[in-house]
Amino acid sequence: DSGVTQTPKHLITATGQRVTLRCSPRSGDLSVYWYQQSLDQGLQFLIQYYNGEERAKGNILERFSAQQFPDLHSELNLSSLELGDSALYFCASSVGGRGYNEQFFGPGTRLTVL
Amino acid sequence: GQQVMQIPQYQHVQEGEDFTTYCNSSTTLSNIQWYKQRPGGHPVFLIQLVKSGEVKKQKRLTFQFGEAKKNSSLHITATQTTDVGTYFCQDSNDYKLSFGAGTTVTVRA
């Protein structure tokens, strides 16, 4: 158990819908990272927040957005969902704000878009 | 943007044998992290390499950062069934994080 929690574990929805994924980092960690893992794309970095502020941005679509709240939990919002958005979404956390800090991954949320 | 290439994509190993997976880039890598993801699991941090030519060992695992910081390798000796999984390298600095596609390892007993 990494100490990072993600909810829900599974999510099934339809194209065009909007969903919110939630992540709680390890106690004491200030950074949260979001990743998308699909079979054909591997692990894709989406976005990082550090202490409430956006720190780094990866291949995040405009239909996706994220935020980190004062209690440091984070939410990833996915809208106008397409079939290709079906994937495993991981959240990770680290103590510091630098991308090379050791990251602790949560168990992931498996999103299925039908 | 910079791409981190990992080879091979798949590695089928006889139990007890050694193997190596490589992480390559056409441009200079910043810092390399290696992660392992077991089937059905999440990535778990293994090691970080920062300096040119750095070598670190963890029991049967040896991690190396190239002298020119354009490649890194993970060598596993005497492979065991517990080594099954996908090994990822990640290049990262303050504002960029790039994962390689991973090497998926299966072990024949």
Side-chain angles (χ1 to χ4, degrees), chain B residues 6 27 45 52 54 90 94 96 102 109:
Chain B
Q6 260 189 277
T27 57
F45 176 85
S52 165
E54 190 169 16
Q90 180 192 46
D94 280 348
K96 169 180 67 68

Side-chain angles (χ1 to χ4, degrees), chain A residues 68-101:
Chain A
Q68 187 178 29
F69 294 87
D71 67 351
L72 300 177
H73 90 272
S74 178
E75 292 182 355
L76 178 67
N77 301 296
L78 314 176
S79 62
S80 302
L81 285 167
E82 302 175 358
L83 295 177
D85 297 327
S86 295
L88 193 51
Y89 290 84
F90 284 110
C91 163
S93 73
S94 68
V95 172
R98 298 181 185 274
Y100 52 77
N101 292 145

Side-chain angles (χ1 to χ4, degrees), chain A residues 2 33 35 37 42-43 45 48 55-57 88 90 97-107, chain B residues 31 33 35 37 40-45 48 50 88 90 92-101:
Chain A
S2 67
Y33 309 78
Y35 294 91
Q37 185 174 44
L43 265 170
F45 167 64
Q48 176 200 359
R55 180 72 186 236
K57 210 166 186 176
L88 193 51
F90 284 110
R98 298 181 185 274
Y100 52 77
N101 292 145
E102 176 179 356
Q103 295 177 35
F104 296 85
F105 282 74
Chain B
N31 304 280
Q33 287 71 241
Y35 287 82
Q37 184 176 18
H42 57 270
V44 175
F45 176 85
Q48 179 186 72
V50 177
F88 293 97
Q90 180 192 46
S92 60
N93 58 27
D94 280 348
Y95 304 105
K96 169 180 67 68
L97 296 92
S98 301
F99 270 97

